[in-house]
Amino acid sequence: MVVRGNETWERVSQRMSRPMIKDTCYEFSLHMCRSEFYLSPVSGGNLKDSANFNTPAKLRIYGGFGNCDKQYLLAETKEIISHRWLEYKFKFEPIANYTHITLEAYYRTPVLFPYNGNILLDNLSEIKPIPCDKPVDDTPVAESAPPAARPAVPAPRPST
């Protein structure tokens, strides 16, 4: 997902299979990184006017009642600076019975000047209820690639 220098940004929304319940705690994890090269058109969609969207952006997670509804900010990361996949864990407690979740790329705050940036997401977990007193270590965990995306390493060929 990208943020753009023209003050626009991307988000994705999903209806959950069952609502989050008010005053219940949940855990959620995903893998994120930032692409070093993310070329995209910047003026009128013309490919010759491309820019590298490589500035760090952050992720915001919202609960709501419809697609792209941002009723309540459940969690927010710092800027994603790593070019390596890292696992991020979240714990949140909704204040209503939200039926939808929205994941949004956003600028560093406060936003002094909008910029072109990106975050990449993969390997999203289920949103699971947990005891509210359970600690969740939200320190990013290093991974070389998300588990589902790890390529097979070919066996070395014998020399002849």
Side-chain angles (χ1 to χ4, degrees), residues 20-86:
M20 287 186 272
I21 305 300
K22 176 183 175 180
D23 299 327
T24 299
C25 292
Y26 294 87
E27 69 179 358
F28 172 66
S29 68
L30 54 78
H31 287 80
M32 284 191 288
C33 70
R34 176 174 60 97
S35 180
E36 191 172 356
F37 300 102
Y38 195 115
L39 295 178
S40 185
V42 289
S43 89
N46 189 338
L47 288 176
K48 69 180 177 127
D49 296 324
S50 292
N52 192 1
F53 283 57
N54 64 344
T55 305
K58 64 179 168 179
L59 176 71
R60 290 179 168 179
I61 302 172
Y62 291 93
F65 298 104
N67 286 330
C68 295
D69 181 22
K70 301 188 315 184
Q71 289 283 322
Y72 183 69
L73 181 62
L74 296 167
E76 181 175 26
T77 66
K78 295 178 182 176
E79 290 82 29
I80 306 304
I81 59 172
S82 178
H83 299 291
R84 294 180 322 149
W85 288 100
L86 300 176

Side-chain angles (χ1 to χ4, degrees), residues 136-152:
V136 172
D137 181 8
D138 61 358
T139 305
V141 177
E143 292 279 342
S144 58
R150 287 193 178 113

